[in-house]
Amino acid sequence: MINMNPINPLSQIDKTANIRQTDDPQKLMEVCREFESIFINMILKQARSGMNTDGLTEKSYAREIFEDMQDEQMAQSMSKGQGIGLAQELYKQLSRNTNKITNIVDNE
């Protein structure tokens, strides 16, 4: 099923707002995968903007919407599983930081 809601990087801030207050590794990994998906989507949009638009079909608003949706789906698919490795690296770094914060709070 295709997700018809566009990825909005600003809406993702709500997911990360309480990440320091949780020890749930699955939630942290989910946020890391979302960030990777947003990053890949931005790369795909930039790659598409540099392409020659002269083709069989003219550039229209409908085609632009379709290409945006296609980029979002491709980015989400690419970030699943191993992805490009960005989510795993973010997870390693953030989990170290959350463990340090948890240890400091527990010691006080």
Side-chain angles (χ1 to χ4, degrees):
M1 177 176 258
I2 295 176
N3 182 6
M4 297 303 283
N5 298 327
I7 296 175
N8 182 356
L10 297 177
S11 70
Q12 300 302 321
I13 293 173
D14 293 338
K15 287 186 177 182
T16 59
N18 295 325
I19 200 67
R20 289 184 182 176
Q21 299 172 356
T22 184
D23 291 330
D24 187 8
Q26 290 178 340
K27 187 181 246 185
L28 179 61
M29 191 60 182
E30 178 186 340
V31 171
C32 292
R33 287 189 196 282
E34 284 290 325
F35 179 81
E36 183 179 52
S37 177
I38 292 167
F39 181 76
I40 293 171
N41 188 19
M42 291 173 69
I43 291 173
L44 292 173
K45 281 185 179 183
Q46 285 297 319
R48 189 176 301 279
S49 70
M51 292 175 51
N52 187 4
T53 57
D54 296 339
L56 297 175
T57 59
E58 64 183 58
K59 191 73 167 179
S60 66
Y61 184 68
R63 180 176 163 188
E64 188 175 322
I65 290 173
F66 173 77
E67 288 174 350
D68 285 345
M69 289 176 19
Q70 183 181 22
D71 289 344
E72 288 173 15
Q73 280 303 119
M74 193 178 307
Q76 288 176 355
S77 296
M78 289 174 71
S79 68
K80 290 182 181 175
Q82 292 294 329
I84 60 173
L86 181 61
Q88 287 81 7
E89 290 301 315
L90 278 172
Y91 178 80
K92 286 179 193 175
Q93 193 171 40
L94 292 175
S95 64
R96 266 189 269 139
N97 290 340
T98 55
N99 288 338
K100 287 178 186 176
I101 291 169
T102 303
N103 290 338
I104 290 171
V105 170
D106 289 341
N107 291 333
E108 290 180 353

